């Protein structure tokens, strides 16, 4: 885990190495200062001249200045290193997620990935900052101060040998109790983020069904779970303070009592005032180091679970990889399914697709009809290799899809989904997702084919109209037509419309299909639809049922020979006749 996280340090190695070095120099300066002050006190007690005091004062000023400079420099390099690590971790995780296959994405929820990219990375950043600074400073300060306390205080420093183990034992006990709580709380963070994400994304549905109170209660429950676990952890961590104060005051009482007694009884022979003042200072240093060390342990304990969650994403390998010698050119739009069966998980008992044998010629228009859950979308996802087959082979352009370079294959297979996504930016920005170098004329032509130009021209800014996040300022039908235009700009060899005209009227649907027949005849077109009217003029229509191909034929052939197709056609036409009669 540490090795994998360390790879994200990269260009911030110098800052990461400089910080411990600067902290070490700072500690050395700070630990020598009390020793010099003790010498100064003894010199004053002995009745030294002013020039001696000035000389010691100058030395102390220089040492304090150096300690301050080293500390400030260490703070700067520490901030650079920790923030840089956080930036690289987010970048590496995001890049890793972009390379995931659908199978990999299915392992993580969206809310969990957001938590890992934000909260978990922040926790690791804080822990790293403490590790390269405080985790170096505290042990060094502890060792130096311990040695100097023995040098200055002799046997009296033995008190630290009792206090330090007691404090360490208490801190370890606290951390042992707190660790499982932090493991639980991050899972509940995912649930909390999921509640927020669902609510914001489905705000219109929430309001239309008047479910605000239900959503508030769901959020409160998730929030209360996080609060409860954090409260338990914080209550235990709160013992840090009292334990530290107890140890601090115990040492102070001991040092002040026995130190004063030793000075008085020995008349300064066994312990003088200078040594006594230095011993007090070193006592504070030791106990302060232990206190900071406890904070480091707490932060590391909390971030350990975050680090594991980050590593889960970084170490996840895409189940889809390019072959050693990939093919970069797709010959044509022909598609072949040879004895294909597929299931989403190796553990799944049932195949989502079974015994699929299908051969589509390049340039052919294929319609796919089937009930909900008949695996229509699953079938087309194998073409662009969003998933790999469990059994059998899918070939595009005569070659197994697994022999192609993934990017090259997907550039030749354009898919327009039912749930279309538009990104914040202008209409041109969204269209150029299909072709980054598309000219204005090419975009306008694609929009005419998709029947999108008619509403774009009505916008005041036309193609420079700004699309809000998620396309909230355009209708469902407008969104679908823009996405079809975006796909056409790819000039693909295979165009798949996955129920992507469900939000447009039948007249516009017919115009889009007519335009595609006339202007892209060589492109293989696969149209998944619920409406028979959307596929009835296709070269062939596939009827899917329960993950299998139930029948293949033209509209007329299926009406005559297939019961499922005939039943859907009849029910839709009856519904249409009924609506027409009602309107009359």
């Amino acid at each position: 885990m540490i090795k994998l996280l360390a790879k994200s340090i990269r260009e911030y190695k110098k800052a990461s190495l400089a910080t411990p070095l600067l902290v070490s120099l700072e500690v050395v300066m700070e630990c020598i200062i009390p020793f010099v002050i003790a010498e100064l006190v003894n010199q004053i007690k002995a009745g030294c001249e002013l020039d001696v005091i000035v000389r010691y004062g100058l030395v102390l000023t220089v040492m304090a200045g150096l300690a301050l400079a080293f500390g400030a420099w260490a703070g700067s390099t520490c901030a650079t290193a920790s923030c840089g690590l956080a930036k690289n971790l987010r970048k590496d995780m995001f890049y890793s997620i972009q390379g995931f296959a659908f199978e990999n994405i299915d392992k993580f929820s969206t809310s969990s990935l957001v938590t890992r990219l934000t909260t978990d990375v922040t926790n690791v950043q804080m822990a790293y900052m403490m590790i390269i600074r405080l985790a170096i400073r505290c042990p060094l300060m502890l060792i130096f101060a311990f040695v100097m306390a023995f040098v200055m205080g002799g046997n009296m420093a033995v008190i630290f040998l009792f206090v330090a183990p007691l404090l360490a034992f208490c801190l370890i006990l606290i951390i042992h109790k707190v660790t499982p709580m932090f493991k639980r709380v991050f899972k509940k963070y995912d649930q909390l983020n999921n509640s927020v994400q669902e609510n914001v994304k489905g705000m219109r549905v929430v309001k239309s069904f008047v479910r605000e109170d239900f959503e508030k209660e769901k959020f409160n429950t998730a929030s209360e779970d996080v609060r409860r676990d954090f409260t338990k952890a914080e209550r235990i961590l709160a013992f840090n303070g009292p334990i530290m104060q107890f140890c601090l005051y115990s040492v102070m009482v001991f040092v002040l009592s026995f130190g004063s007694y030793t000075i008085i009884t020995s008349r300064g022979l066994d312990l003088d005032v200078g040594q006594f003042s230095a011993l007090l200072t070193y006592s504070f240093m030791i106990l302060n180091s232990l206190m900071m060390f406890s904070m480091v342990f707490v932060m590391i304990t909390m971030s350990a679970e975050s680090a594991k969650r980050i590593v889960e994403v970084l170490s996840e390998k895409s189940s889809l990889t390019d072959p050693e010698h990939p093919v970069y050119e797709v010959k044509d739009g022909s598609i072949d399914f040879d004895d294909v069966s597929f299931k989403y998980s190796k553990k799944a008992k049932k195949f989502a697709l079974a015994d699929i044998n299908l051969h589509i010629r390049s340039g052919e228009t294929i319609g796919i009809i089937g009930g909900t859950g008949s695996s229509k979308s699953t079938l087309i996802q194998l073409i662009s290799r969003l998933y790999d087959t469990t059994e059998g082979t899918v070939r595009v352009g005569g070659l197994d899809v697994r022999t192609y370079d993934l990017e090259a294959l997907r550039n030749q297979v354009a898919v327009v989904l039912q749930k279309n996504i538009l990104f914040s930016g202008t209409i041109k920005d969204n269209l150029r997702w299909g072709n980054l170098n598309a000219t204005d004329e090419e975009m306008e032509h694609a929009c005419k084919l998709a029947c999108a130009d008619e509403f774009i021209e009505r916008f005041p800014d036309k193609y420079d109209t700004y699309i809000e996040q998620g396309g909230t300022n355009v209708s469902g039908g407008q969104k679908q037509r823009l996405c079809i235009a975006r796909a056409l700009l790819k000039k693909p060899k295979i165009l798949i419309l996955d129920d992507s005209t469900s939000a447009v009227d039948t007249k516009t649907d017919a115009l889009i299909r007519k335009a595609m027949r006339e202007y892209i005849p060589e492109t293989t077109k696969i149209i998944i639809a619920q409406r028979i009217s959307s596929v009835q003029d296709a070269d062939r229509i596939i009827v899917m049922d329960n993950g299998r191909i139930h029948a293949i034929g033209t509209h007329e052939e299926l009406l005559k020979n297939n019961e499922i197709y005939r039943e859907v056609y009849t029910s839709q036409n009856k519904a249409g006749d009924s609506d027409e009669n009602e309107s009359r």
Side-chain angles (χ1 to χ4, degrees), residues 84 90 95 157 175 193 223 242 251 312 318 364 383 391 396 407:
R90 290 192 182 96
Y95 279 30
I175 292 164
N193 281 348
S223 183
V251 170
E312 281 179 5
S318 176
E364 202 172 6
I383 297 172
E391 297 174 4
V396 170
E407 187 176 336

Side-chain angles (χ1 to χ4, degrees), residues 330-336 360-364 383 395-398 412-413 492-495 522-526:
V330 179
K331 180 183 175 184
D332 56 43
S334 62
I335 305 166
D336 299 284
I360 301 171
R361 296 182 297 276
S362 183
E364 202 172 6
I383 297 172
R395 286 183 283 122
V396 170
Q412 295 302 324
V413 182
K493 288 188 168 64
I494 299 171
L495 176 64
E522 295 180 358
T523 298
T524 303
K525 297 164 282 292
I526 300 176

Side-chain angles (χ1 to χ4, degrees), residues 64-76:
L66 287 172
L68 181 63
F70 289 139
W73 196 357
S76 175

Side-chain angles (χ1 to χ4, degrees), residues 229-260:
D229 277 4
F230 256 123
T231 302
K232 287 180 182 178
E234 291 294 339
R235 280 176 179 168
I236 295 173
L237 288 175
F239 282 104
N240 262 354
I243 292 169
M244 180 57 64
Q245 293 297 324
F246 172 77
C247 293
L248 179 63
Y249 291 129
S250 296
V251 170
M252 289 301 101
V253 169
F254 177 84
V255 171
L256 286 170
S257 301
F258 287 90
S260 301

